[in-house]
Amino acid sequence: MHTNYQWLKILSVSLSAAALVGCSDLSQTRVEKGQVNRQPFGKTKDGIAVDLYTLRNSKGAEAGICNYGGLVIFLKVPDRNGQFGDVVLGYDNLADYIKDTPYFGAMIGRYGNRIAKGKFTLDGKEYTLAINNGPNALHGGLKGFDKVVWEPSILAGPEGPSLQLRYTSKDGEEGYPGNLSVTAVYTLTDDNALKLEYTATTDKDTVINLTQHSYFNLAGKGDILKHEVMMPADKFTPVDSTLIPTGELKPVEGTPFDFRTSTAIGARIGQDDEQLKFGNGYDHNWVMNKPMGQLGLMARVYEPTTGRVLEVWSTEPGLQFYTGNFLDGKLTGKGGWVYQFRNGFCMESQHYPDSPNQPNFPSVVLKPGQVYKNTIIFKFSVQK
Ligand code: GLA
């Protein structure tokens, strides 16, 4: 619930945002520090108008977020020389997102990653989901949370400008049980972190696994193979050839999956390894060492040419690290950048893939009366 004070703040910030409406050219966006600007971003296939919200913090960093899919459209942060640059892949217009996107910048739900054969059993009842990835269900179905229109409100909190997005997924939507009410709050904090806080409640037992699917390239161009990655994870979940976990929690020790010390993504990605072949690179879930539910560091990524550093923090137990292995030069994004093989990577904080069918994985069941909470933070800094 909001306090009266918060609502007052919402109102006053909304008014200042409204005053800035009307500018539709992304490069022309002018936003005051600590403010949120709203501008039209096009219409969905059903004719619903959606907006692009630009959050700007006191340091001049900017996050552009659309209330269609909760898409992070751009994220501008400084390099080691103080030069601001966009570090996420995507398009500069809504039509391209609607036409064809590998989940660029999207909020993912109800279930991030795969559910084997699109089936799971809960309370003795079998549920059937759309098969949309080989023989499996992926990322919440045919019209997942990445493709729905969220109800926006601009908030202002002590940490920086925020955009709240709300959506109620109907009982049976995409095959999942229960009316699920989801609130997502994006905040661009003054220490250059984009924070996403999800909460959700249900009126029937259901399963839930929300995540964020931004593709990063901290250099803003080229492939991501020289980015150096550290993940505090002693184990990962190996997969079968359709990328469903086998159920094993396998030690990373002695494998190309050992990122406990910072290592270039490209250093071992080409090794003769069955798991790398199944993923056509890295497309796996790492099992974090930190305690379940506790906010902690999931990954640190360093890009040597710009000095940019991305830290991923989350309350979730797993991290799907995906190296853009399905990008193949067929999509042209912002500024005419043709997205080639491995031009971006994703760090998807979440529960492990296929958890509803894996009794030894942490549970993804949400029951009436419980509140689902999940915080994901992408924090930027520089290394000299
Ligand atoms: C996740 C999956 C990948 C792929 C991407 C989107 O990372 O694990 O296999 O589906 O999303 O293309």
Side-chain angles (χ1 to χ4, degrees):
M1 282 300 286
H2 294 287
T3 61
N4 287 344
Y5 168 75
Q6 279 172 315
W7 281 118
L8 267 179
K9 290 292 271 183
I10 293 170
L11 188 66
S12 66
V13 178
S14 302
L15 288 175
S16 63
L20 293 161
V21 172
C23 162
S24 58
D25 176 354
L26 290 193
S27 63
Q28 295 294 306
T29 310
R30 273 212 315 277
V31 196
E32 299 301 318
K33 287 185 177 174
Q35 288 281 354
V36 181
N37 172 46
R38 187 180 78 218
Q39 64 190 90
F41 199 57
K43 284 189 177 161
T44 66
K45 275 189 197 150
D46 307 325
I48 303 169
V50 297
D51 290 324
L52 173 66
Y53 294 81
T54 300
L55 280 52
R56 185 164 206 235
N57 72 7
S58 66
K59 305 276 169 33
E62 286 185 356
I65 295 160
C66 181
N67 65 309
Y68 171 85
L71 305 174
V72 174
I73 308 285
F74 59 80
L75 189 49
K76 294 176 186 169
V77 294
D79 67 8
R80 61 160 72 92
N81 302 316
Q83 203 68 41
F84 284 81
D86 189 0
V87 293
V88 293
L89 275 52
Y91 300 116
D92 41 25
N93 63 79
L94 184 69
D96 285 350
Y97 283 99
I98 291 172
K99 197 167 104 209
D100 192 6
T101 172
Y103 306 95
F104 285 141
M107 303 204 300
I108 304 289
R110 297 188 186 190
Y111 199 93
N113 213 278
R114 294 174 180 78
I115 294 182
K117 313 268 191 298
K119 284 197 188 300
F120 66 94
T121 301
L122 183 61
D123 302 332
K125 187 169 184 276
E126 187 178 74
Y127 292 92
T128 302
L129 312 168
I131 304 295
N132 61 345
N133 185 266
N136 304 314
L138 178 71
H139 291 333
L142 301 176
K143 190 173 179 187
F145 290 178
D146 57 301
K147 295 182 184 69
V148 300
V149 176
W150 294 69
E151 184 197 319
S153 343
I154 295 168
L155 309 179
E159 290 185 294
S162 297
L163 177 68
Q164 174 184 280
L165 299 171
R166 304 184 83 167
Y167 179 69
T168 298
S169 174
K170 295 265 176 334
D171 187 11
E173 191 172 304
E174 288 295 331
Y176 293 93
N179 289 297
L180 184 76
S181 302
V182 186
T183 302
V185 179
Y186 278 109
T187 303
L188 186 62
T189 69
D190 283 334
D191 59 352
N192 288 350
L194 181 64
K195 178 156 91 168
L196 173 57
E197 292 164 289
Y198 284 119
T199 50
T201 54
T202 182
D203 62 0
K204 256 189 204 171
D205 287 8
T206 192
V207 297
I208 181 169
N209 187 31
L210 308 182
T211 188
Q212 216 291 337
H213 208 296
S214 283
Y215 285 68
F216 297 97
N217 184 318
L218 302 182
K221 58 174 188 233
D223 70 49
I224 43 84
L225 299 176
K226 291 200 177 65
H227 287 60
E228 295 167 18
V229 171
M230 189 286 293
M231 286 186 276
D234 294 342
K235 295 180 181 148
F236 75 111
T237 52
V239 289
D240 67 14
S241 62
T242 73
L243 301 186
I244 294 294
T246 60
E248 186 192 357
L249 306 186
K250 190 177 156 111
V252 294
E253 178 85 47
T255 76
F257 292 79
D258 188 351
F259 281 93
R260 290 173 298 178
T261 53
S262 193
T263 309
I265 293 175
R268 299 163 303 183
I269 202 168
Q271 280 186 11
D272 185 13
D273 176 278
E274 186 182 52
Q275 285 299 313
L276 285 173
K277 286 198 182 112
F278 286 160
N280 198 23
Y282 297 107
D283 191 353
H284 296 77
N285 166 67
W286 270 255
V287 175
M288 291 294 131
N289 294 341
K290 71 179 179 63
M292 271 274 300
Q294 189 170 304
L295 184 68
L297 183 70
M298 313 282 278
R300 181 182 190 274
V301 187
Y302 167 63
E303 199 289 305
T305 65
T306 60
R308 286 197 183 96
V309 173
L310 162 64
E311 285 180 6
V312 182
W313 291 70
S314 171
T315 48
E316 290 297 285
L319 185 71
Q320 184 82 13
F321 172 45
Y322 166 62
T323 46
N325 313 310
F326 294 124
L327 297 176
D328 57 4
K330 293 206 179 91
L331 302 175
T332 300
K334 287 177 279 184
W337 181 356
V338 177
Y339 294 133
Q340 304 286 359
F341 191 47
R342 297 179 181 156
N343 277 189
F345 65 90
C346 302
M347 293 274 181
E348 302 155 63
S349 303
Q350 57 189 28
H351 274 59
Y352 313 160
D354 196 35
S355 293
N357 295 309
Q358 305 264 357
N360 60 333
F361 286 179
S363 171
V364 289
V365 174
L366 182 71
K367 294 174 180 290
Q370 297 179 332
V371 179
Y372 168 90
K373 286 191 177 165
N374 168 358
T375 298
I376 297 171
I377 299 171
F378 299 121
K379 184 175 186 318
F380 297 90
S381 58
V382 294
Q383 188 174 313
K384 294 289 172 192

